[in-house]
Amino acid sequence: MIKRTHASISKCIIHKVGNKQNNTKNAFSEKEVHFDEASYELMLLFLLRPFGSLIQSYRFNHHADISLNEINTYSSQMFNEDDAFIETSKHIVKHLFEQSNSAQIKTGDVLIVMFEGIEFNEITTNALGIFKIENKVNFFQTYLENNSYDVMVQKGISSKKVDKGCIILNQTDAEGPIVLSADNNNYDAQYWTNHFLNIKYADDANSHTQQYIELCKDFSEDILKISYGNQEQNTFLAKTIDFFKENEIINIERFKDEIFEEDKHKTLFDDYKKNFESEQDIRIRNQFDVAEAVVKKEKKKIKTEIKLDTNIQIKLDIDAPEASSEYLERGYDDEKKMHFYKVYFNAEG
């Protein structure tokens, strides 16, 4: 995550990107944006807000040579050649245009921004930001005419969230330049992350923890829920989060030994893991350090609820993984021809 306490915008230009599938064209600015004080403060907050809570970072990727990654090349030019900003920003938009391989890819405004004073992991650096605004909102504009106020509807950019954006820090580690990315209109997962930016998760504890929890969530949804029901799925997820909270280092064999009581479940998990790695084009390590911040964030996303078609919901406590197996029983009533849950308790809260 970044801190924006001392951040500032040194350069900004706005272009429009079209879509080659529906013959809409790009439109380019020739001059940088000159903000007034109010619009500057609002724009700075608007652009940087999505990155204040991001935990994971990316690195540039390319199948042959990382130096052939277009955005890696363009960002390097902008950092090293002060007078290249406007022309290079146009090349970025042209590269984005070339990725519109589907008619559903939206046209929009593209903001190319140079930042100063970005703080990341206790390092202060400058950075390049690329933002795409895809959705405009309606708002009322009042105006004075003939000594009376009237109202009209206009379209504009909402200051609440960026549709798509990335920040490329002028800072590298062993894997290359550090990249942060946000996509709030994820209608095509390949378009922004894989095709335009061509980035991959950094090889660190954040990435390993995220990928493994994603594996467990998908396994619970695709295998456990379908074959064994919601109770088994939710118990597994609660045990998984508990295991991550209790261990600083995750060893996959130890994880399976503690989570699964039967060998057949271990086999199902191993088979699913192989397919998951193949589909996601990743390799999950057999042992890795836990990123506590990722665990906390992913825990909030997990919904341990059993929703029944009789308008009743049973909510399980994710912090009490043993409660489901000890105090909740599932059965079938032959007279009513219906499934049921039996819940044990001492007192109502």
Side-chain angles (χ1 to χ4, degrees), residues 147-171:
N147 296 321
S148 296
Y149 281 98
D150 208 336
V151 65
M152 64 184 297
V153 175
Q154 293 183 317
K155 278 187 174 292
I157 299 171
S158 169
S159 61
K160 291 183 178 181
K161 69 175 183 178
V162 170
D163 291 314
K164 300 181 188 297
C166 76
I167 290 181
I168 303 152
L169 302 180
N170 190 15
Q171 187 74 31

mmCIF file of all heavy atoms in Angstrom, residues 147-171:
data_model
loop_
_atom_site.group_PDB
_atom_site.id
_atom_site.type_symbol
_atom_site.label_atom_id
_atom_site.label_comp_id
_atom_site.label_asym_id
_atom_site.label_seq_id
_atom_site.Cartn_x
_atom_site.Cartn_y
_atom_site.Cartn_z
ATOM 1 N N ASN A 147 -32.500 36.373 -14.660
ATOM 2 C CA ASN A 147 -32.744 36.626 -13.237
ATOM 3 C C ASN A 147 -33.429 35.470 -12.514
ATOM 4 O O ASN A 147 -33.992 35.659 -11.431
ATOM 5 C CB ASN A 147 -33.585 37.902 -13.049
ATOM 6 C CG ASN A 147 -32.860 39.138 -13.538
ATOM 7 O OD1 ASN A 147 -31.641 39.259 -13.335
ATOM 8 N ND2 ASN A 147 -33.582 40.035 -14.186
ATOM 9 N N SER A 148 -33.436 34.287 -13.130
ATOM 10 C CA SER A 148 -34.005 33.106 -12.475
ATOM 11 C C SER A 148 -33.060 31.926 -12.653
ATOM 12 O O SER A 148 -32.375 31.807 -13.682
ATOM 13 C CB SER A 148 -35.381 32.764 -13.067
ATOM 14 O OG SER A 148 -36.306 33.789 -12.822
ATOM 15 N N TYR A 149 -33.055 31.052 -11.656
ATOM 16 C CA TYR A 149 -32.215 29.859 -11.739
ATOM 17 C C TYR A 149 -32.964 28.726 -12.427
ATOM 18 O O TYR A 149 -34.155 28.502 -12.197
ATOM 19 C CB TYR A 149 -31.767 29.414 -10.344
ATOM 20 C CG TYR A 149 -30.618 30.226 -9.810
ATOM 21 C CD1 TYR A 149 -30.840 31.283 -8.941
ATOM 22 C CD2 TYR A 149 -29.314 29.945 -10.201
ATOM 23 C CE1 TYR A 149 -29.799 32.053 -8.455
ATOM 24 C CE2 TYR A 149 -28.254 30.704 -9.725
ATOM 25 C CZ TYR A 149 -28.501 31.750 -8.860
ATOM 26 O OH TYR A 149 -27.464 32.496 -8.397
ATOM 27 N N ASP A 150 -32.220 28.026 -13.267
ATOM 28 C CA ASP A 150 -32.765 26.853 -13.942
ATOM 29 C C ASP A 150 -31.791 25.691 -13.743
ATOM 30 O O ASP A 150 -30.724 25.854 -13.145
ATOM 31 C CB ASP A 150 -32.959 27.143 -15.434
ATOM 32 C CG ASP A 150 -34.095 26.302 -16.028
ATOM 33 O OD1 ASP A 150 -34.392 25.229 -15.451
ATOM 34 O OD2 ASP A 150 -34.663 26.718 -17.054
ATOM 35 N N VAL A 151 -32.157 24.531 -14.245
ATOM 36 C CA VAL A 151 -31.329 23.350 -14.018
ATOM 37 C C VAL A 151 -31.193 22.569 -15.318
ATOM 38 O O VAL A 151 -32.115 22.540 -16.147
ATOM 39 C CB VAL A 151 -31.940 22.449 -12.918
ATOM 40 C CG1 VAL A 151 -33.269 21.878 -13.340
ATOM 41 C CG2 VAL A 151 -30.969 21.338 -12.528
ATOM 42 N N MET A 152 -30.052 21.942 -15.503
ATOM 43 C CA MET A 152 -29.826 21.090 -16.660
ATOM 44 C C MET A 152 -29.017 19.873 -16.206
ATOM 45 O O MET A 152 -28.352 19.905 -15.162
ATOM 46 C CB MET A 152 -29.073 21.836 -17.772
ATOM 47 C CG MET A 152 -27.674 22.272 -17.388
ATOM 48 S SD MET A 152 -26.856 23.251 -18.680
ATOM 49 C CE MET A 152 -26.771 22.049 -19.999
ATOM 50 N N VAL A 153 -29.114 18.797 -16.979
ATOM 51 C CA VAL A 153 -28.378 17.574 -16.667
ATOM 52 C C VAL A 153 -27.114 17.531 -17.509
ATOM 53 O O VAL A 153 -27.155 17.742 -18.728
ATOM 54 C CB VAL A 153 -29.237 16.322 -16.939
ATOM 55 C CG1 VAL A 153 -28.425 15.060 -16.716
ATOM 56 C CG2 VAL A 153 -30.466 16.320 -16.041
ATOM 57 N N GLN A 154 -25.995 17.260 -16.858
ATOM 58 C CA GLN A 154 -24.719 17.077 -17.543
ATOM 59 C C GLN A 154 -24.098 15.756 -17.115
ATOM 60 O O GLN A 154 -24.444 15.193 -16.071
ATOM 61 C CB GLN A 154 -23.770 18.233 -17.231
ATOM 62 C CG GLN A 154 -24.225 19.573 -17.805
ATOM 63 C CD GLN A 154 -23.231 20.676 -17.530
ATOM 64 O OE1 GLN A 154 -22.690 20.795 -16.441
ATOM 65 N NE2 GLN A 154 -22.991 21.504 -18.549
ATOM 66 N N LYS A 155 -23.179 15.280 -17.936
ATOM 67 C CA LYS A 155 -22.444 14.062 -17.596
ATOM 68 C C LYS A 155 -21.032 14.426 -17.179
ATOM 69 O O LYS A 155 -20.409 15.322 -17.762
ATOM 70 C CB LYS A 155 -22.393 13.104 -18.801
ATOM 71 C CG LYS A 155 -23.639 12.253 -18.996
ATOM 72 C CD LYS A 155 -23.433 11.225 -20.084
ATOM 73 C CE LYS A 155 -24.628 10.281 -20.181
ATOM 74 N NZ LYS A 155 -24.745 9.408 -19.004
ATOM 75 N N GLY A 156 -20.525 13.707 -16.183
ATOM 76 C CA GLY A 156 -19.175 13.976 -15.721
ATOM 77 C C GLY A 156 -18.574 12.774 -15.028
ATOM 78 O O GLY A 156 -19.201 11.719 -14.898
ATOM 79 N N ILE A 157 -17.343 12.936 -14.581
ATOM 80 C CA ILE A 157 -16.612 11.864 -13.899
ATOM 81 C C ILE A 157 -16.961 11.889 -12.415
ATOM 82 O O ILE A 157 -16.852 12.932 -11.767
ATOM 83 C CB ILE A 157 -15.093 12.037 -14.086
ATOM 84 C CG1 ILE A 157 -14.728 11.970 -15.573
ATOM 85 C CG2 ILE A 157 -14.326 10.983 -13.304
ATOM 86 C CD1 ILE A 157 -13.287 12.338 -15.863
ATOM 87 N N SER A 158 -17.364 10.753 -11.889
ATOM 88 C CA SER A 158 -17.605 10.661 -10.450
ATOM 89 C C SER A 158 -16.271 10.678 -9.718
ATOM 90 O O SER A 158 -15.310 10.036 -10.137
ATOM 91 C CB SER A 158 -18.354 9.361 -10.125
ATOM 92 O OG SER A 158 -18.375 9.144 -8.730
ATOM 93 N N SER A 159 -16.209 11.410 -8.624
ATOM 94 C CA SER A 159 -14.962 11.505 -7.858
ATOM 95 C C SER A 159 -14.835 10.394 -6.823
ATOM 96 O O SER A 159 -13.915 10.400 -6.008
ATOM 97 C CB SER A 159 -14.882 12.862 -7.148
ATOM 98 O OG SER A 159 -15.972 13.010 -6.235
ATOM 99 N N LYS A 160 -15.749 9.416 -6.864
ATOM 100 C CA LYS A 160 -15.746 8.369 -5.841
ATOM 101 C C LYS A 160 -14.720 7.275 -6.110
ATOM 102 O O LYS A 160 -14.062 6.775 -5.193
ATOM 103 C CB LYS A 160 -17.139 7.758 -5.719
ATOM 104 C CG LYS A 160 -18.171 8.703 -5.118
ATOM 105 C CD LYS A 160 -19.516 8.025 -4.942
ATOM 106 C CE LYS A 160 -20.517 8.976 -4.301
ATOM 107 N NZ LYS A 160 -21.845 8.328 -4.096
ATOM 108 N N LYS A 161 -14.587 6.842 -7.392
ATOM 109 C CA LYS A 161 -13.653 5.745 -7.648
ATOM 110 C C LYS A 161 -13.145 5.786 -9.075
ATOM 111 O O LYS A 161 -13.827 6.250 -9.996
ATOM 112 C CB LYS A 161 -14.301 4.384 -7.376
ATOM 113 C CG LYS A 161 -15.380 3.988 -8.352
ATOM 114 C CD LYS A 161 -15.881 2.575 -8.087
ATOM 115 C CE LYS A 161 -16.914 2.151 -9.133
ATOM 116 N NZ LYS A 161 -17.385 0.777 -8.927
ATOM 117 N N VAL A 162 -11.922 5.292 -9.245
ATOM 118 C CA VAL A 162 -11.317 5.127 -10.563
ATOM 119 C C VAL A 162 -11.777 3.788 -11.120
ATOM 120 O O VAL A 162 -11.805 2.782 -10.419
ATOM 121 C CB VAL A 162 -9.778 5.151 -10.448
ATOM 122 C CG1 VAL A 162 -9.125 4.748 -11.763
ATOM 123 C CG2 VAL A 162 -9.304 6.523 -10.016
ATOM 124 N N ASP A 163 -12.136 3.756 -12.415
ATOM 125 C CA ASP A 163 -12.545 2.493 -13.018
ATOM 126 C C ASP A 163 -11.360 1.540 -13.148
ATOM 127 O O ASP A 163 -11.424 0.387 -12.723
ATOM 128 C CB ASP A 163 -13.177 2.738 -14.390
ATOM 129 C CG ASP A 163 -14.518 3.446 -14.287
ATOM 130 O OD1 ASP A 163 -15.323 3.031 -13.437
ATOM 131 O OD2 ASP A 163 -14.750 4.412 -15.023
ATOM 132 N N LYS A 164 -10.301 2.014 -13.769
ATOM 133 C CA LYS A 164 -9.086 1.213 -13.907
ATOM 134 C C LYS A 164 -7.893 2.129 -13.684
ATOM 135 O O LYS A 164 -7.878 3.273 -14.154
ATOM 136 C CB LYS A 164 -8.989 0.573 -15.296
ATOM 137 C CG LYS A 164 -10.129 -0.371 -15.648
ATOM 138 C CD LYS A 164 -9.942 -0.973 -17.040
ATOM 139 C CE LYS A 164 -11.175 -1.761 -17.467
ATOM 140 N NZ LYS A 164 -11.445 -2.910 -16.596
ATOM 141 N N GLY A 165 -6.877 1.620 -13.001
ATOM 142 C CA GLY A 165 -5.710 2.458 -12.770
ATOM 143 C C GLY A 165 -4.504 1.643 -12.357
ATOM 144 O O GLY A 165 -4.625 0.526 -11.847
ATOM 145 N N CYS A 166 -3.338 2.195 -12.608
ATOM 146 C CA CYS A 166 -2.110 1.564 -12.138
ATOM 147 C C CYS A 166 -1.119 2.656 -11.753
ATOM 148 O O CYS A 166 -1.189 3.786 -12.260
ATOM 149 C CB CYS A 166 -1.507 0.637 -13.200
ATOM 150 S SG CYS A 166 -0.677 1.500 -14.549
ATOM 151 N N ILE A 167 -0.242 2.309 -10.849
ATOM 152 C CA ILE A 167 0.859 3.185 -10.470
ATOM 153 C C ILE A 167 2.150 2.401 -10.632
ATOM 154 O O ILE A 167 2.301 1.310 -10.066
ATOM 155 C CB ILE A 167 0.706 3.698 -9.029
ATOM 156 C CG1 ILE A 167 -0.445 4.690 -8.946
ATOM 157 C CG2 ILE A 167 1.991 4.354 -8.551
ATOM 158 C CD1 ILE A 167 -0.666 5.272 -7.567
ATOM 159 N N ILE A 168 3.066 2.945 -11.410
ATOM 160 C CA ILE A 168 4.373 2.323 -11.637
ATOM 161 C C ILE A 168 5.403 3.154 -10.883
ATOM 162 O O ILE A 168 5.613 4.332 -11.205
ATOM 163 C CB ILE A 168 4.708 2.276 -13.136
ATOM 164 C CG1 ILE A 168 3.619 1.519 -13.892
ATOM 165 C CG2 ILE A 168 6.071 1.629 -13.371
ATOM 166 C CD1 ILE A 168 3.442 1.946 -15.318
ATOM 167 N N LEU A 169 5.981 2.574 -9.863
ATOM 168 C CA LEU A 169 6.948 3.296 -9.051
ATOM 169 C C LEU A 169 8.295 3.359 -9.757
ATOM 170 O O LEU A 169 8.709 2.406 -10.431
ATOM 171 C CB LEU A 169 7.114 2.607 -7.694
ATOM 172 C CG LEU A 169 5.853 2.437 -6.841
ATOM 173 C CD1 LEU A 169 6.189 1.738 -5.537
ATOM 174 C CD2 LEU A 169 5.194 3.780 -6.556
ATOM 175 N N ASN A 170 8.970 4.458 -9.593
ATOM 176 C CA ASN A 170 10.339 4.581 -10.111
ATOM 177 C C ASN A 170 11.292 3.941 -9.108
ATOM 178 O O ASN A 170 12.207 4.558 -8.586
ATOM 179 C CB ASN A 170 10.695 6.052 -10.341
ATOM 180 C CG ASN A 170 11.992 6.226 -11.107
ATOM 181 O OD1 ASN A 170 12.502 5.276 -11.705
ATOM 182 N ND2 ASN A 170 12.535 7.429 -11.094
ATOM 183 N N GLN A 171 11.002 2.693 -8.845
ATOM 184 C CA GLN A 171 11.714 1.929 -7.819
ATOM 185 C C GLN A 171 11.679 0.459 -8.216
ATOM 186 O O GLN A 171 10.631 -0.063 -8.586
ATOM 187 C CB GLN A 171 11.043 2.118 -6.451
ATOM 188 C CG GLN A 171 11.798 1.516 -5.292
ATOM 189 C CD GLN A 171 13.033 2.322 -4.929
ATOM 190 O OE1 GLN A 171 13.053 3.539 -5.087
ATOM 191 N NE2 GLN A 171 14.060 1.645 -4.456
#
